[in-house]
Amino acid sequence: MSTFGKVNRGIATGANDFFCLTKTELKEWGITDQFVVPCVTKSRQISSHFFLEQDYLSLVEDGGPVHLLNVQKTPVESDAISRYIRHGEACGVDQGFLTKQRKYWYKMEKRVPAPILVNVFSRNKVRFIRNEAMVRNLTAFHGIYLHADYEQDIDVLMAYFLTDICQQLLSRQHREYGRGLKKFEPNDLTGAPVVDLNILTIRQKAEIVRYYEQFRTAELTKNNALQTDSLNALNHLFETIIRKV
């Protein structure tokens, strides 16, 4: 994987209850959109291989704490944010293990949204998610970023991540806990074998993307038969390519 991209852990806030706010909390504190960014905080918030903007908006309307505090300027130029920071200090948030190590305890690490997310823990298949909503992710997920030269192949790589052969190769990389619970660290994924994007022809990439788009449409429309057929086609394509190598 390191040939084509990198894997970063999710954002560690040190106090999710304070830093991740609901729509109602934003209104109560008078915090405007310029001081928050969209985020996902828990693996159960994403149930599909594709996370769309409408999925994020549904989390917002359902009262999810999916607005990550994003204060970048100091001194703070907002009365509402200043009040919220003082509230955090009154609750001892600034004395947490992570927060007290920061120069400004309330400032998050800078991280651009990852185009592909992957669950840190899994019991069966490792689940990769195409982050079409381009939201930030906390530590329930790792983020996969492609190097600039390969960004145009993001859907080809995502298609590979959906396949059985990817799951088989990944089975050598994980750390296993009790009752079949698997955990992947960023280095486990960075060192994982992936299809060589450099050897794929334009025709092969086009065919992969065609079946990938079929799979995406089928999953979003809950067309199980088409989803199975598309995934079978992707399995066959990648197995053929990898066996030839």
Side-chain angles (χ1 to χ4, degrees), residues 22-231:
T22 66
K23 179 181 178 181
T24 299
E25 288 171 329
L26 292 180
K27 186 175 181 180
E28 288 175 349
W29 286 96
I31 297 173
T32 58
D33 288 346
Q34 72 184 100
F35 295 107
V36 293
V37 291
C39 72
V40 285
T41 63
K42 300 176 181 178
S43 60
R44 66 171 177 266
Q45 290 172 338
I46 303 181
S47 58
S48 167
H49 290 101
F50 305 92
F51 188 69
L52 313 183
E53 184 176 1
Q54 65 202 53
D55 297 319
Y56 173 72
L57 294 176
S58 293
L59 292 176
V60 172
E61 293 306 315
D62 289 344
V66 291
H67 301 88
L68 178 63
L69 196 67
N70 186 43
V71 180
Q72 294 300 326
K73 291 184 179 181
T74 51
V76 176
E77 299 174 355
S78 163
D79 291 341
I81 292 295
S82 294
R83 286 195 301 273
Y84 193 65
I85 289 172
R86 290 196 297 271
H87 165 69
E89 291 169 347
C91 295
V93 179
D94 59 322
Q95 296 302 308
F97 177 75
L98 289 180
T99 53
K100 69 180 180 181
Q101 297 181 49
R102 300 174 186 146
K103 181 177 180 181
Y104 299 101
W105 69 267
Y106 48 84
K107 290 183 70 171
M108 284 294 98
E109 55 190 318
K110 292 184 180 180
R111 188 74 58 81
V112 297
I116 296 177
L117 305 177
V118 56
N119 279 30
V120 174
F121 290 98
S122 63
R123 289 199 180 276
N124 297 306
K125 289 185 175 182
V126 183
R127 190 158 61 98
F128 294 87
I129 300 130
R130 184 71 172 89
N131 182 17
E132 296 184 21
M134 294 303 282
V135 299
R136 269 74 166 181
N137 59 287
L138 300 194
T139 54
F141 307 92
H142 298 316
I144 298 177
Y145 302 82
L146 267 67
H147 299 323
D149 290 346
Y150 297 101
E151 287 178 349
Q152 74 276 6
D153 292 327
I154 186 73
D155 289 342
V156 175
L157 190 63
M158 180 64 194
Y160 165 76
F161 286 148
L162 296 171
T163 63
D164 293 339
I165 195 165
C166 170
Q167 295 292 328
Q168 291 167 13
L169 293 173
L170 278 176
S171 65
R172 309 169 187 172
Q173 304 293 128
H174 69 270
R175 307 172 190 201
E176 191 154 337
Y177 294 78
R179 301 179 185 176
L181 182 65
K182 306 181 190 76
K183 181 180 182 182
F184 286 86
E185 299 290 354
N187 286 341
D188 298 331
L189 294 167
T190 301
V194 299
V195 65
D196 189 347
L197 298 174
N198 291 321
I199 68 168
L200 297 179
T201 65
I202 293 175
R203 183 175 179 179
Q204 285 174 321
K205 289 181 180 180
E207 191 173 14
I208 289 167
V209 170
R210 178 164 65 87
Y211 284 117
Y212 167 76
E213 290 177 347
Q214 283 185 7
F215 179 90
R216 178 186 182 278
T217 298
E219 181 163 302
L220 294 177
T221 58
K222 303 188 186 308
N223 185 334
N224 294 333
L226 179 59
Q227 187 175 0
T228 299
D229 290 346
S230 303
L231 184 56

